[in-house]
Amino acid sequence: MIVKTKNLSKIYQSGETEVHALTDASISIERGEAVAIIGSSGSGKSTLLHLLGGIDRPTKGKVFIEGEDIYKHNDEALALLRRRRIGFVFQMYNLMPQLNVYENVVLPLGLDGRIVDKPRVVALLENLGLADKHKSLPNQLSGGQQQRVAIARALVTQPAIVLADEPTGNLDSKTSVEVLNLLRASASKLGQTIAIITHDEKAAQFCDRILRIEDGHIREG
Amino acid sequence: MDLSLEPSHTEEERASFLSECKKQTEKIGWLTDALLKIARLETGLIAVTKISADLVKTVRDAVSSVTAQATAKGLPIIIERLPDTLSFAHDPVWTKEALCNILDNAVKYTKAGSITIALEQGPLYTHVDVADTGIGLAPEEYAKIFARFYRVRGHAAQRVEGTGLGLPIAREIMRQQGGNITVASELGKGSTFSLFLQNC
């Protein structure tokens, strides 16, 4: 089991009222699985993503990544765990504009003082259709290409899980299919566990398993 | 089978029992074959090997295998966009099998209208689209139909015989080539299945 949550709940205080964003979510994700977490806006899917990714602390319950209770750590240790064990892909790509494709991809390795395995990075970029784009700056790339760079950056550290938050939310339908095909194929090749958080049923079909979230409650299927 | 051996039955009844037995035996045979196929594909006992071959021929061969079935139902198969030839790295035998499974479903789940085939080359993937005017799917079924043994809910789908293995086999074949299958659909209007193959 790569990720496991136990009775995970998050309550936000909004003035006098309590908002139950997530209620008693107990899920597990196996190594190598591709899981879609589907929910509409306000369903609690972003809250779940933040809790799985060590971005926000739960009101109640636990998150285990590779068996380790991540919220037992202080903020500093949690930040380190996030960098080493979790890969993020966001809707807006979040690439560093002044760095080229190669530099953006190896950035998380550098931040962690890890050695860059250049042939591995080159192979990864090739798998993602970016073989001839190593030296391009993000603003010289299309949206689909930028998202593929972000995917390479998430995969390069070989994290326990890649969390992709609406990864095609900013792309047209043709490019979305292309990006999701590549994300899925690259993850399969590397045995990488991924969770795609989306509102889109079309994106969910790239995954092996679907979890649905509605009003903060999660269910299989 | 036992019933057909009882002497009290007429020849006609026996013939009907035997005919039913034959039908069921064929079904079990097909199911066993499909199960073995998916198990062998998943465990790597069957190798899907990409070679440079004519992808258009692969598509046309698959279409030929369902033409009789489609004609019997009065469904025209329209080839919309297909070059004359296209040398492309794929496994022709297994890709044909994947396409046959998709086409077979298109014919089975379409009562009237047509089935349209198109091939499109994108920058990273080339895809073959099979569009039908059949019963269609609700969005929450898009992912489920690729799971083993899943049968689409609803009266119209349940009336069609199937094992729920054709689509998982087809997807596994495409994934083993670095490709995939996706679906876009609308209930009551039809579905389009796209078979993706990586350009390199």
Side-chain angles (χ1 to χ4, degrees):
Chain A
M1 200 75 64
I2 206 102
V3 175
K4 194 175 162 69
T5 72
K6 211 173 155 193
N7 304 111
L8 200 60
S9 301
K10 181 75 186 178
I11 302 167
Y12 293 105
Q13 205 69 39
S14 170
E16 299 254 306
T17 40
E18 281 188 339
V19 180
H20 291 253
L22 191 68
T23 309
D24 273 336
S26 294
I27 62 164
S28 51
I29 299 173
E30 302 278 348
R31 190 177 294 276
E33 243 189 327
V35 178
I37 298 170
I38 305 187
S40 53
S41 155
S43 60
K45 65 180 191 302
S46 296
T47 303
L48 178 63
L49 168 91
H50 291 158
L51 296 176
L52 288 178
I55 295 172
D56 198 1
R57 288 182 185 270
T59 310
K60 199 186 88 184
K62 288 181 171 170
V63 174
F64 298 93
I65 306 262
E66 293 176 313
E68 191 179 349
D69 176 3
I70 66 168
Y71 290 108
K72 73 174 188 207
H73 293 298
N74 63 22
D75 286 355
E76 204 179 326
L78 194 59
L80 196 66
L81 183 142
R82 226 171 19 235
R83 197 161 73 212
R84 291 188 177 159
R85 314 263 283 275
I86 297 158
F88 290 97
V89 176
F90 299 104
Q91 183 173 342
M92 293 304 293
Y93 331 129
N94 296 11
L95 301 176
M96 300 292 279
Q98 67 277 38
L99 301 181
N100 68 28
V101 166
Y102 185 88
E103 289 162 344
N104 261 291
V105 172
V106 300
L107 184 66
L109 296 171
L111 286 174
D112 217 18
R114 284 157 76 177
I115 293 165
V116 176
D117 179 352
K118 200 170 175 192
R120 213 184 139 262
V121 178
V122 169
L124 185 59
L125 286 170
E126 196 179 330
N127 282 340
L128 286 159
L130 296 163
D132 55 345
K133 302 283 178 203
H134 286 211
K135 293 199 170 150
S136 305
L137 290 170
N139 65 9
Q140 295 168 315
L141 303 174
S142 68
Q145 286 168 334
Q146 288 187 61
Q147 194 58 302
R148 285 188 262 138
V149 177
I151 291 169
R153 183 184 57 187
L155 292 170
V156 79
T157 58
Q158 297 175 281
I161 187 164
V162 169
L163 299 172
D165 186 13
E166 299 281 8
T168 54
N170 219 22
L171 305 172
D172 63 55
S173 62
K174 267 190 180 178
T175 313
S176 296
V177 170
E178 208 159 72
V179 164
L180 290 168
N181 266 331
L182 282 170
L183 170 61
R184 167 77 212 199
S186 307
S188 292
K189 210 169 183 174
L190 301 167
Q192 176 67 58
T193 314
I194 52 172
I196 297 178
I197 294 90
T198 182
H199 70 282
D200 185 2
E201 298 280 350
K202 290 199 283 294
Q205 59 177 308
F206 290 83
C207 296
D208 308 315
R209 189 153 71 93
I210 290 180
L211 297 170
R212 290 183 189 275
I213 186 160
E214 213 175 315
D215 295 329
H217 294 272
I218 200 154
R219 65 179 167 86
E220 197 86 28
Chain B
M1 187 65 89
D2 285 347
L3 280 171
S4 67
L5 294 173
E6 278 179 24
S8 58
H9 291 296
T10 64
E11 276 306 311
E12 201 179 325
E13 282 170 331
R14 280 188 203 174
S16 149
F17 294 147
L18 285 172
S19 156
E20 188 54 31
C21 277
K22 184 172 176 272
K23 226 160 75 187
Q24 294 302 328
T25 313
E26 279 168 0
K27 218 161 135 183
I28 292 169
W30 195 89
L31 182 64
T32 315
D33 189 41
L35 274 170
L36 279 173
K37 212 173 271 177
I38 197 160
R40 285 175 176 159
L41 275 166
E42 283 179 354
T43 52
L45 280 172
I46 296 176
V48 176
T49 317
K50 290 206 269 186
I51 56 164
S52 181
D54 185 4
L55 181 58
V56 175
K57 184 180 181 304
T58 305
V59 174
R60 288 195 183 275
D61 285 351
V63 170
S64 302
S65 71
V66 295
T67 306
Q69 219 179 316
T71 310
K73 280 185 87 172
L75 293 172
I77 299 183
I78 302 159
I79 294 184
E80 202 177 70
R81 285 191 309 276
L82 207 56
D84 290 340
T85 59
L86 177 65
S87 178
F88 197 92
H90 71 294
D91 185 316
V93 175
W94 284 104
T95 306
K96 181 190 162 193
E97 167 119 9
L99 263 163
C100 283
N101 289 359
I102 301 297
L103 285 161
D104 194 50
N105 277 350
V107 175
K108 275 202 296 199
Y109 292 102
T110 305
K111 243 181 164 176
S114 59
I115 293 158
T116 308
I117 319 286
L119 184 147
E120 199 175 321
Q121 286 187 279
L124 298 165
Y125 288 91
T126 291
H127 56 102
V128 179
D129 297 339
V130 178
D132 66 51
T133 53
I135 58 173
L137 296 161
E140 58 271 21
E141 306 262 27
Y142 291 178
K144 289 180 183 170
I145 54 168
F146 293 103
R148 269 184 234 190
F149 303 117
Y150 183 78
R151 297 297 317 277
V152 172
R153 300 190 202 297
H155 199 53
Q158 294 292 339
R159 277 200 305 247
V160 178
E161 277 202 9
T163 57
L165 284 169
L167 287 177
I169 289 174
R171 179 173 265 189
E172 188 60 31
I173 290 168
M174 300 314 289
R175 284 192 172 166
Q176 293 224 358
Q177 298 180 79
N180 203 1
I181 299 185
T182 62
V183 64
S185 185
E186 208 177 321
L187 256 184
K189 291 200 169 163
S191 306
T192 300
F193 284 84
S194 300
L195 288 83
F196 288 84
L197 284 161
Q198 250 178 335
N199 285 350
C200 54

